[in-house]
Amino acid sequence: MPKTAISFNVPPKLWEAFKTQTEELFLSRAPFLDYMVSRELQYLRHELKGLKNSLRAKRHIAGAMKKQGPVSVNIEVKPETAEALREATQEHNLVRDAFMSRLIVFLRSTDAFLKLIEMPRVATSRGINTSLEEMPSSPLKAMEAVRDDPLFYIRAHVEDGYKVGIYRMPLPRRLDWAACYLADEEVPGTAAHRKQKKLDDEMDALLSGDASAKPARKPRRTRK
């Protein structure tokens, strides 16, 4: 079956760690990512339904990625995967590099990252959500369970705790290079961001008690 080549940029340390992990697990990266992208796009589009990055937001995300000194990765995927990715990119003004990088970040889910999103390191029904299925004891069946939905536990934890999916949940600003969507209020330099910052500053002043004093009046102009 003919394949279509796609390319994306990713922070070098993230890609090297992902390469090492997939090699140690005997995974073929291109088919694995092809499968994951085709599966995850449905969740991405559901989460971003009706949302589209502004030009400023897209530039900010792309600029954050550029600062990482990313490496370019080329893989071959099924034509339908490439087309679905193209459509999602256009519909939401998505930065492809950010989506792919975010997907890899969640697939790796290092101990440090799990701590950041306040998720238990060991996934059990007791530790996360009593309604979730636990992992089969059979090694091959466990592999099949992971194959069918590798992000099952993490997605359930995020949706339960953050009330949004993994593509909308807020991450630290230093990870803006992996943002699939940013409202203009979150993009430095925009009028919306300045307005939001002003409101935040006023709220901080109210909470700290500094706003108890009336603002100084502007001096009246005297007529000559």
Side-chain angles (χ1 to χ4, degrees), residues 55-114:
L55 181 58
R56 291 290 295 270
K58 186 174 184 178
R59 285 176 176 173
H60 173 74
I61 296 168
M65 174 62 75
K66 188 175 181 180
K67 290 178 181 178
Q68 302 303 309
V71 294
S72 179
V73 176
N74 296 281
I75 61 173
E76 289 191 332
V77 299
K78 296 175 183 176
E80 53 265 36
T81 302
E83 178 61 19
L85 180 58
R86 185 189 67 79
E87 290 177 355
T89 300
Q90 290 184 343
E91 181 180 352
H92 304 292
N93 206 24
L94 185 72
V95 179
R96 178 191 293 185
D97 303 340
F99 166 65
M100 296 298 296
S101 296
R102 192 179 186 95
L103 177 58
I104 292 171
V105 167
F106 274 92
L107 283 172
R108 294 200 67 237
S109 286
T110 62
D111 288 353
F113 183 72
L114 292 177

Side-chain angles (χ1 to χ4, degrees), residues 51-61 92-93 168 173 176 179-198 200:
L51 297 174
K52 187 173 185 177
N53 283 306
S54 66
L55 181 58
R56 291 290 295 270
K58 186 174 184 178
R59 285 176 176 173
H60 173 74
I61 296 168
H92 304 292
N93 206 24
R168 285 286 310 280
R173 299 312 306 266
D176 276 358
C180 289
Y181 174 76
L182 287 178
D184 277 357
E185 290 83 354
E186 303 173 87
V187 181
T190 63
H193 182 266
R194 289 192 294 270
K195 181 179 179 181
Q196 185 61 48
K197 186 177 185 306
K198 182 180 178 181
D200 291 342

Side-chain angles (χ1 to χ4, degrees), residues 16-45:
E16 284 304 314
F18 179 66
K19 279 178 61 178
T20 298
Q21 224 170 349
T22 51
E23 287 169 1
E24 290 177 349
L25 292 171
F26 312 110
L27 288 175
S28 181
R29 278 184 297 280
F32 177 56
L33 286 174
D34 183 359
Y35 174 77
M36 287 306 308
V37 170
S38 64
R39 275 195 57 85
E40 290 300 308
L41 281 175
Q42 60 180 317
Y43 295 104
L44 172 78
R45 299 186 79 166

